C-alpha cells in the first residue's frame, strides 16, 4: 500500500545511516567530579568553582544523580551561563558541559 505524500527511495533496502555524532569540541578547562553525590551537591560544586576558569572556557560536571539532568541546565539559565551539551558517560552518569559567560 502506498501512502500519498511519501516517495519511494531508489530501491535500496539498506538501513538509514545513524546521524553523525555531535563534535566533542575542545576539552574542558576544568572537570568537576560529582559522581556518587546527590543533587544539589553537583550544583553547589559548580557554583563554587566556576570562577576558577576564564570567561569563555568550558567546565564539565560529571554526575550520576538523575536530578542533575534538569538541575544543571536550569542553573545555567538562572545564572546566565551557557549550557553547551550533555553526554552519557560509559561508566554511567552524564557529563554536563557549561561555558562561563561572565
Amino acid at each position: 500500500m502506498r501512502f500519498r505524500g511519501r516517495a519511494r527511495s531508489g530501491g535500496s533496502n539498506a538501513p538509514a545511516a545513524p546521524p553523525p555524532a555531535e563534535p566533542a569540541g575542545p576539552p574542558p578547562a576544568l572537570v568537576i567530579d560529582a559522581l556518587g553525590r546527590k543533587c544539589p551537591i553537583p550544583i553547589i560544586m559548580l557554583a563554587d568553582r566556576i570562577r576558577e576558569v576564564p570567561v569563555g572556557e568550558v567546565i564539565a560536571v560529571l554526575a550520576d544523580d538523575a536530578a542533575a539532568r534538569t538541575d544543571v541546565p536550569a542553573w545555567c539559565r538562572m545564572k546566565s551561563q551557557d549550557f553547551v551539551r550533555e553526554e552519557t558517560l560509559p561508566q554511567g552518569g552524564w557529563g554536563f558541559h557549561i561555558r562561563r559567560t561572565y
Side-chain angles (χ1 to χ4, degrees), residues 20-88:
E22 184 177 323
L30 174 67
V31 177
I32 299 171
D33 186 353
L35 294 168
R37 303 198 180 197
K38 299 290 182 196
C39 272
I41 299 303
I43 298 298
I44 292 169
M45 293 172 77
L46 172 60
D48 187 47
R49 299 194 61 197
I50 194 166
R51 292 175 299 281
E52 293 178 21
V53 301
V55 171
E57 292 294 322
V58 173
I59 300 168
V61 178
L62 311 180
D64 51 8
D65 181 14
R69 295 186 79 192
T70 55
D71 289 353
V72 173
W75 182 88
C76 290
R77 285 189 303 274
M78 184 175 71
K79 296 296 185 178
S80 299
Q81 302 296 342
D82 287 338
F83 182 78
V84 177
R85 72 178 194 291
E86 171 189 316
E87 63 184 7
T88 302

Side-chain angles (χ1 to χ4, degrees), residues 2 4 11 27 29 36 42-43 47 49 60 62 74 93 99-100:
R2 291 187 78 183
R4 215 176 294 168
I43 298 298
R49 299 194 61 197
L62 311 180
R99 180 172 288 110
R100 183 177 176 195

